[in-house]
């Protein structure tokens, strides 16, 4: 008799918790159409934000900004050199000394 009482006492909270576990499932089924639509939109929005932030992290990891800075610096250095040569050639073209 004591074993039966002990098993009943131990199983009663388990049975109560299993029954209360069913309640949220029923509540999910009773959602309205507007709630389902808004949840779907929120999930799409979160997916888009997460994907965009993942792409931004990937771009930061590729160090594109540093590469663009280096390319700009090298290009301006080269162009300033050729600009100086061109100015010198034009100066000698227009102001050449007749020998």
């Amino acid at each position: 008799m004591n074993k039966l009482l002990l098993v009943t006492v131990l199983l009663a909270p388990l049975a109560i918790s299993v029954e209360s576990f069913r309640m949220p499932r029923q509540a999910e089924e009773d959602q309205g159409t507007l709630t389902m639509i808004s949840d779907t939109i929120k999930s799409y929005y979160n997916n888009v934000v997460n994907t965009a932030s993942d792409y931004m992290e990937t771009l930061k990891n590729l160090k594109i900004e540093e590469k663009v800075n280096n390319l700009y610096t090298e290009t301006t250095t080269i162009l300033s050199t050729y600009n100086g040569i061109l100015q010198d050639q034009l100066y000698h073209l227009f102001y050449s000394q007749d020998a």
Side-chain angles (χ1 to χ4, degrees):
M1 183 73 179
N2 288 336
K3 291 180 182 179
L4 182 62
L5 182 62
L6 180 64
V7 169
T8 305
V9 169
L10 291 177
L11 287 179
L14 181 62
I16 292 172
S17 65
V18 168
E19 186 175 328
S20 66
F21 183 70
R22 293 181 187 163
M23 294 301 288
R25 287 185 183 174
Q26 290 174 353
E28 286 179 10
E29 293 174 2
D30 294 339
Q31 288 181 349
T33 305
L34 187 60
T35 306
M36 289 173 46
I37 291 172
S38 65
D39 288 344
T40 303
I41 291 172
K42 286 178 186 177
S43 70
Y44 284 138
Y45 175 76
N46 288 334
N47 286 340
V48 168
V49 169
N50 290 338
T51 303
S53 63
D54 289 344
Y55 285 143
M56 291 301 293
E57 288 298 321
T58 303
L59 291 176
K60 285 181 183 178
N61 290 338
L62 292 176
K63 299 181 182 179
I64 290 178
E65 192 172 327
E66 181 181 333
K67 292 177 183 177
V68 169
N69 269 343
N70 291 340
L71 180 66
Y72 174 77
T73 304
E74 292 172 3
T75 305
T76 54
T77 303
I78 292 169
L79 287 179
S80 65
T81 302
Y82 283 113
N83 186 27
I85 293 171
L86 181 64
Q87 285 177 349
D88 188 46
Q89 292 294 321
L90 288 175
Y91 177 78
H92 287 290
L93 179 69
F94 289 118
Y95 300 108
S96 64
Q97 296 177 350
D98 292 327

